[in-house]
Amino acid sequence: MNASDVALVQDSFRKVAPISDVAAELFYGRLFEVAPQVKPMFRGDMREQGRKLMATLGVVVTGLTRLETVLPAASALAKQHVAYGVKAEHYPIVGGALLWTLEKGLGDAWTPELAAAWTAAYGTLSGYMISEAYGTAQAAE
């Protein structure tokens, strides 16, 4: 990820933030559509879960300029997700649902360049989280 990618991701997230409740609803709807097997991992109030998702995304997106500031929290989150039943193979599914959500939420502002920037950002973070939770061998798969 380069500085231009970071700027694109941060700028686009500022456009999504005002519709964060809708974005979270779109995200989980898409996730459960493409991977219904993960739905039992989510218990409780999905609106609250959506707020947590969007808040976490906000912290990560803001921290992209200084990635080392978000990595400790990302490591802890990855390890916590193992207890919920999350496996390394779920990360690409979640990434696909996230990109789909961003495309829907941003409409015409979603460009191939922006898609590539978000893909790079998600790949960087998810690769790190997978290696923290399951070891570096699974992160490479």
Side-chain angles (χ1 to χ4, degrees):
M1 258 185 77
N2 60 41
S4 176
D5 288 341
V6 170
L8 283 170
V9 168
Q10 289 176 335
D11 182 55
S12 65
F13 190 75
R14 281 190 285 276
K15 295 173 185 167
V16 173
I19 60 159
S20 62
D21 287 343
V22 172
E25 192 175 313
L26 284 169
F27 170 80
Y28 285 112
R30 180 65 173 178
L31 180 62
F32 298 153
E33 177 185 325
V34 298
Q37 71 275 17
V38 303
K39 192 169 186 176
M41 293 180 200
F42 295 87
R43 299 178 189 97
D45 182 1
M46 287 307 296
R47 290 184 67 100
E48 181 59 28
Q49 179 67 37
R51 286 186 198 101
K52 289 178 184 178
L53 168 71
M54 296 307 290
T56 301
L57 270 174
V59 169
V60 170
V61 167
T62 300
L64 287 176
T65 51
R66 293 183 23 242
L67 199 54
E68 70 279 0
T69 64
V70 297
L71 292 181
S75 175
L77 187 62
K79 292 170 185 172
Q80 181 183 16
H81 278 76
V82 173
Y84 299 141
V86 174
K87 299 185 180 337
E89 61 263 21
H90 293 134
Y91 281 81
I93 297 166
V94 168
L98 175 63
L99 294 175
W100 180 90
T101 300
L102 291 164
E103 180 180 3
K104 297 300 174 204
L106 291 166
D108 290 341
W110 185 253
T111 63
E113 183 181 33
L114 185 55
W118 271 99
T119 299
Y122 184 79
T124 298
L125 190 64
S126 66
Y128 175 77
M129 291 176 73
I130 291 168
S131 70
E132 288 293 294
Y134 310 102
T136 54
Q138 286 197 357
E141 292 177 3

